[in-house]
Amino acid sequence: MAIAWVLVLVTAGLSLARAGPVPTSKPTTAWRGCDIGRFKSLSPRELEAFKKAKDALEYSLKNWSCNSRLFPRNRDLRQLQVWERPVALEAELALTLKVLETMADRSLGDILDQPLHTLRHIHSQLQACVKAQPPAGPQPRGRLHPWLHRLHEASKKESQGCLEASVLFNLFRLLKKDLECVAVGDLCV
């Protein structure tokens, strides 16, 4: 009888060992007070507002040319360390807001009201996450530094038309892929 119990316990133990680690908590970003996880996906209503705005604004973009790709296709937040991703996304959102607000000022405001409201809210949450990093945190280097530098220099080097086109063509990537990657933290692989 004792041998039967030992076999049952060993079998149960081996089954659990094969199952892999059991997560003890839900994934979060590395900083306290940073609740960006709720932005894993936007509501269909919010996405529809962005789509309407993007469609209307793309039609208004006629003659634009860029000296370089502001958001290269091979750029992927997964290339950055987990702590760098909110920093990069916050910089992208800041530039996106700046460009879209300029477009809204040119009588395109109605179509941009809801998207700008949503982007401002996400941006404020990201700013809280970035500010919540430990003060002795690493300085931008590696892949993050050129990424931030490109975004910072864009408004100085590129035409307004190029900025608008780049931001619009990158908008859904930012909202779906990049935002989700930051929201899931270290699970974005």
Side-chain angles (χ1 to χ4, degrees):
M1 181 75 172
I3 294 176
W5 279 108
V6 169
L7 286 174
V8 168
L9 290 174
V10 168
T11 304
L14 289 174
S15 296
L16 288 174
R18 265 187 274 138
V22 176
T24 56
S25 64
K26 65 181 182 178
T28 59
T29 50
W31 312 287
R32 297 182 111 187
C34 181
D35 185 24
I36 202 71
R38 65 183 136 163
F39 297 115
K40 286 181 204 165
S41 63
L42 298 177
S43 74
R45 185 178 60 84
E46 289 170 317
L47 289 174
E48 183 61 29
F50 278 102
K51 184 178 180 334
K52 283 180 183 176
K54 184 177 185 273
D55 291 346
L57 296 173
E58 277 181 354
Y59 183 75
S60 71
L61 293 174
K62 293 181 177 129
N63 298 321
W64 61 272
S65 63
C66 296
N67 297 325
S68 63
R69 290 191 66 100
L70 184 55
F71 302 103
R73 284 190 182 124
N74 63 351
R75 178 201 55 77
D76 190 340
L77 283 182
R78 294 177 299 178
Q79 297 170 341
L80 300 175
Q81 295 179 31
V82 173
W83 72 267
E84 294 173 320
R85 294 172 187 168
V87 175
L89 184 58
E90 190 274 331
E92 278 186 47
L93 264 171
L95 178 62
T96 299
L97 277 168
K98 180 179 175 184
V99 170
L100 291 179
E101 286 168 346
T102 301
M103 294 173 85
D105 290 344
R106 293 192 324 242
S107 76
L108 298 169
D110 290 345
I111 193 95
L112 286 172
D113 285 344
Q114 180 59 42
L116 282 172
H117 175 75
T118 301
L119 288 174
R120 285 183 191 115
H121 179 67
I122 294 168
H123 187 244
S124 70
Q125 296 297 308
L126 266 172
Q127 283 179 315
C129 291
V130 169
K131 288 178 183 174
Q133 286 189 43
Q139 294 299 311
R141 55 179 164 61
R143 292 183 178 176
L144 180 61
H145 179 70
W147 198 320
L148 296 176
H149 182 72
R150 176 182 289 180
L151 293 172
H152 178 71
E153 294 294 312
S155 57
K156 297 176 191 171
K157 292 182 177 180
E158 298 295 346
S159 69
Q160 186 63 27
C162 175
L163 290 173
E164 291 171 3
S166 296
V167 162
L168 285 176
F169 296 140
N170 187 61
L171 189 59
F172 278 92
R173 177 185 183 152
L174 183 147
L175 291 171
K176 290 185 160 221
K177 189 174 182 182
D178 294 349
L179 185 57
E180 179 182 348
C181 185
V182 170
V184 298
D186 58 355
L187 295 179
C188 179
V189 290

